[in-house]
Amino acid sequence: MRRVLQIWLLVFGVVCVGIAVAHLFFGTASIIGGGPVNATIDSDMRFYAVLFGAYGLAVMWCARDVERKATAIDLLGAIFFAGGLARLLAWVATGQPNWFYVLMTPVELVIPIVNYLLVRVVRKEAAAGPARPEVVAATHPSAG
């Protein structure tokens, strides 16, 4: 399960960095269903894109050593979850967004929960230690 979590975190981090780079260099043209904005909003969006890119890099950094960086993974998950809640707040304050962001909102709320649960499994497996060789030999048909 450790390797699955590592790969997942790397992929997730790369996607976050990719989204950030698109927003940074293409501005509002990278927003699905977006439209023209003034210079202040464009500036704000590009500023936050850099932070989201840093977020993705932090997730990727955690992937290397998930057991020791479990607390950081949980904190990053809490931040991502808060982002999902912020989408809900925007929806209430200004109305329903483009269908893509309607679909992304539950994803943004579920991913941190899944990450949290996966980290618990990996930590539990690490605490149990490696399987004993004689148990592996007795249970694995090609061993011996």
Side-chain angles (χ1 to χ4, degrees):
M1 186 58 69
R2 179 181 191 273
R3 190 72 180 140
V4 169
L5 179 58
Q6 286 180 304
I7 292 168
W8 160 245
L9 290 174
L10 282 174
V11 169
F12 180 62
V14 167
V15 168
C16 291
V17 170
I19 291 168
V21 167
H23 289 334
L24 179 63
F25 289 108
F26 299 108
T28 57
S30 64
I31 304 291
I32 298 168
V37 297
N38 65 32
T40 301
I41 293 172
D42 185 70
S43 173
D44 235 20
M45 190 195 80
R46 292 176 197 251
F47 174 83
Y48 293 126
V50 172
L51 297 179
F52 192 54
Y55 176 91
L57 291 174
V59 170
M60 292 165 57
W61 174 74
C62 289
R64 185 174 180 130
D65 189 0
V66 294
E67 294 89 358
R68 283 198 234 168
K69 295 190 172 101
T71 302
I73 295 168
D74 292 344
L75 178 60
L76 289 166
I79 292 167
F80 201 75
F81 188 86
L85 294 177
R87 276 205 201 280
L88 291 175
L89 176 60
W91 192 340
V92 168
T94 61
Q96 182 175 327
N98 177 276
W99 66 267
F100 177 78
Y101 298 100
V102 170
L103 293 177
M104 287 307 299
T105 302
V107 170
E108 293 165 343
L109 297 172
V110 169
I111 284 175
I113 296 167
V114 171
N115 286 354
Y116 179 85
L117 295 173
L118 288 173
V119 167
R120 303 283 90 56
V121 169
V122 168
R123 289 182 91 185
K124 187 175 180 179
E125 288 174 355
R132 295 184 322 220
E134 63 274 7
V135 173
V136 171
T139 59
H140 196 277
S142 64

